[in-house]
Amino acid sequence: MGRRLKTILYIIGILLLIESVFVFLCIPFSLYYGGEDFPAIILSGLCIALTGFLCWIPFRKKRREIDKRMAFLIVSLIWIIASVFGALPYLLSGTITDFTDAFFEAMSGFTTTGASVIADIESAPKGIIFWRALTQWIGGMGIIVLVITFIPFLGINSMSLYSAEVSGPSKDKLHPHMLTSARRLWITYASFTILTIILLLLGGINLFEAMANTFSTVSTGGFGIKGLSVADYSPYIQYVLVFAMLVSSFNYSLNYFLLKGKFKKVLNDEELRVYLIMILLATLFTVVMLLFQTSYSVEEAIRHGLFQVVSITSTTGLVSADYTLWPVSVSFLFLILMFCGGMAGSTSGGMKIVRIIVLFKNCKYVLTNIVHSRAFFPVRINGKPLQENVIANVMAFFLIYIGVFTVGTILFIALGINVLEALGATASAMCSFGPGFGPSGGFGNYEHFPELGKWLYSFLMLVGRLELMTIFILFFPPYWKK
């Protein structure tokens, strides 16, 4: 067996052992609420743990090396395998009886998309609902970052894996050592998780609902635990969720500095300023449209407008009201915001605000260069000039993104899905948003999609979560050449 394959199996073994621990964390809620899913959770956890142990034990003392090309393959496999085994609790409990649907639900959780095929989530066993929420929380910070955090031996080569999972224009590190950076990110992530749980408990909901909703928001995942998402909750709960979604769509390096009290460093970030201005303007437009074209009161228009704008820009996908019934202009605005997404280095999806900034600044540079052909005006972010290869990568990313969106939409239409819903499905999958338009938007789901449509959607969720390059590099012939 080749050394590379041994390394891949070893890391997959570690992943599955970690995943089994999270499955077992669902046991207390299963037992407290009747235990009907207890056998399924135990059996799922044991199957995952045994498989992980068999992959890990033979190669635990072998020498391991991870180069950049190998990292792309490992990262892609890890997300797929985590979803395959993450489907077991759904299947063994009978919550979902079809593997395609179970894989779809698991992939949606781990990629923090929040798209669901479960029509009546409130009747599902509580242990399974908690597992569903946990998959989002695990995927929010990234499975690779989780592995790096708890497996010290990966410290030497971990940057290759991290680079393969996070392909943005910049990869902020909080410490020169990747292991220390990963741990600081997880501490920040856990801190905001605990804070959100406490704030929700103060709103009068029970611990189960507080934890499940927190996992959905801090991960910007969006799995609701009720049929009407969060529409039935009090205004206080909805405002808390707005706070959690907003903070989670910030760059987590900035969140770390925020916890450390370095407010000046946070406020000086150009991407953050642009992001907040975009949210403010979008909220003002939405609120005005709701006041003039719906029967909402001022407070309702502000709350629902703010909630949906933050939910969409953060690509969380929680719903406080059925936005598909709002004015068409608002729906079009939401589609644009969905593509923009949150900040780089956050748990949100989309193209990321920093890429949008680079695109606009590069357009300005090209136009300026036409007028002043001998002048040089570099594209700057936070006052620092960007290298030409970074700008080229952003342009390539944008071109591929639009290409995948176009092809995905055409394929959905070919499978019999109407144009509006096909547009929404492709955008929501690639942007990790979840709800789309038509029957799959608002309080709807994807249960009615054909089987091939669900596999296509699952592929687009993976592609969107790993920001295109990690997956598509595997289809590039030079990748496989020595």
Side-chain angles (χ1 to χ4, degrees):
M1 187 181 294
R3 190 170 60 190
R4 290 174 180 268
L5 181 57
K6 292 177 182 178
T7 301
I8 292 172
L9 289 174
Y10 182 83
I11 294 176
I12 288 173
I14 293 170
L15 162 74
L16 293 177
L17 288 171
I18 294 173
E19 186 173 358
S20 68
V21 172
F22 281 100
V23 172
F24 290 133
L25 290 178
C26 302
I27 291 175
F29 290 101
S30 172
L31 294 176
Y32 183 81
Y33 287 99
E36 61 178 302
D37 53 353
F38 175 72
I41 291 173
I42 287 291
L43 185 57
S44 299
L46 290 175
C47 288
I48 296 171
L50 178 61
T51 307
F53 183 78
L54 292 176
C55 290
W56 169 74
I57 197 69
F59 314 116
R60 67 190 188 284
K61 294 182 180 179
K62 304 293 182 182
R63 186 170 178 266
R64 291 167 291 274
E65 294 181 0
I66 304 173
D67 57 31
K68 190 172 183 179
R69 290 203 308 171
M70 188 178 177
F72 288 112
L73 180 60
I74 291 175
V75 168
S76 301
L77 286 175
I78 278 180
W79 283 85
I80 294 170
I81 290 170
S83 300
V84 169
F85 283 89
L88 283 179
Y90 300 118
L91 291 170
L92 296 179
S93 67
T95 304
I96 299 176
T97 57
D98 179 73
F99 176 74
T100 296
D101 288 351
F103 179 82
F104 181 101
E105 200 77 13
M107 178 64 78
S108 181
F110 283 120
T111 57
T112 69
T113 304
S116 181
V117 292
I118 302 177
D120 185 12
I121 187 60
E122 293 183 51
S123 64
K126 291 295 189 290
I128 297 301
I129 295 177
F130 193 75
W131 168 242
R132 186 170 173 261
L134 263 179
T135 57
Q136 298 171 108
W137 194 78
I138 297 167
M141 188 51 65
I143 296 174
I144 297 301
V145 178
L146 175 65
V147 172
I148 291 170
T149 302
F150 292 104
I151 309 302
F153 94 89
L154 282 174
I156 250 181
N157 298 310
S158 57
M159 193 58 197
S160 295
L161 291 174
Y162 182 69
S163 298
E165 183 176 67
V166 184
S167 59
S170 62
K171 302 173 181 67
D172 296 321
K173 292 174 64 179
L174 298 175
H175 193 272
H177 298 290
M178 190 60 230
L179 178 61
T180 304
S181 290
R183 284 176 176 166
R184 288 181 179 179
L185 287 172
W186 270 99
I187 288 171
T188 305
Y189 190 53
S191 299
F192 278 112
T193 299
I194 294 169
L195 174 61
T196 305
I197 290 173
I198 293 172
L199 291 175
L200 290 176
L201 288 173
L202 293 175
I205 63 177
N206 61 51
L207 180 62
F208 172 80
E209 291 190 19
M211 293 183 70
N213 282 301
T214 295
F215 293 160
S216 290
T217 50
V218 298
S219 66
T220 63
F223 272 150
I225 63 173
K226 295 188 175 184
L228 296 179
S229 190
V230 298
D232 287 341
Y233 286 118
S234 67
Y236 168 81
I237 296 295
Q238 292 179 4
Y239 282 122
V240 170
L241 296 178
V242 167
F243 163 77
M245 291 187 292
L246 184 62
V247 171
S248 298
S249 63
F250 293 168
N251 185 316
Y252 258 82
S253 296
L254 293 182
N255 286 338
Y256 175 78
F257 294 131
L258 190 65
L259 289 177
K260 298 285 286 186
K262 298 180 179 180
F263 302 112
K264 186 176 180 180
K265 189 176 183 67
V266 174
L267 294 174
N268 286 338
D269 187 85
E270 182 178 1
E271 185 185 13
L272 176 63
R273 293 198 301 271
V274 172
Y275 183 49
L276 292 177
I277 291 172
M278 182 184 76
I279 289 175
L280 177 62
L281 294 177
T283 302
L284 285 174
F285 175 81
T286 303
V287 170
V288 169
M289 295 301 294
L290 291 180
L291 286 174
F292 279 96
Q293 299 191 32
T294 69
S295 59
Y296 287 142
S297 66
V298 174
E299 189 278 330
E300 288 173 334
I302 293 173
R303 172 160 47 87
H304 292 310
L306 176 64
F307 189 100
Q308 287 311 141
V309 167
V310 173
S311 179
I312 286 172
T313 53
S314 65
T315 68
T316 303
L318 291 175
V319 180
S320 67
D322 192 351
Y323 61 85
T324 62
L325 303 177
W326 292 358
V328 176
S329 58
V330 174
S331 296
F332 184 72
L333 172 65
F334 285 176
L335 183 64
I336 296 173
L337 295 177
M338 196 187 301
F339 276 110
C340 293
M343 295 178 63
S346 69
T347 62
S348 60
M351 288 194 289
K352 302 297 190 301
I353 299 302
V354 67
R355 287 195 179 98
I356 305 299
I357 295 173
V358 171
L359 286 172
F360 275 98
K361 286 192 173 186
N362 191 56
C363 289
K364 179 183 177 182
Y365 164 75
V366 170
L367 292 173
T368 304
N369 194 252
I370 292 174
V371 179
H372 306 285
S373 57
R374 295 184 180 181
F376 178 68
F377 301 94
V379 176
R380 298 176 183 270
I381 296 292
N382 289 327
K384 298 177 181 179
L386 293 179
Q387 296 179 354
E388 288 296 323
N389 69 312
V390 174
I391 299 173
N393 287 341
V394 171
M395 299 296 289
F397 176 88
F398 179 74
L399 180 63
I400 296 173
Y401 208 93
I402 296 302
V404 174
F405 172 75
T406 303
V407 173
T409 302
I410 292 172
L411 290 175
F412 276 129
I413 294 172
L415 291 171
I417 298 165
N418 69 68
V419 176
L420 179 61
E421 191 171 14
L423 285 167
T426 309
S428 66
M430 292 182 63
C431 302
S432 302
F433 177 66
F437 297 102
S440 56
F443 301 128
N445 58 58
Y446 293 88
E447 183 188 24
H448 63 285
F449 265 42
E451 186 170 6
L452 283 177
K454 291 172 183 174
W455 282 110
L456 173 60
Y457 196 100
S458 297
F459 175 74
L460 292 175
M461 286 192 282
L462 179 63
V463 166
R465 178 62 178 83
L466 296 181
E467 301 198 336
L468 303 181
M469 302 303 186
T470 300
I471 296 295
F472 283 110
I473 196 71
L474 301 179
F475 297 94
F476 191 50
Y479 171 85
W480 299 101
K481 295 179 181 179
K482 292 184 179 180

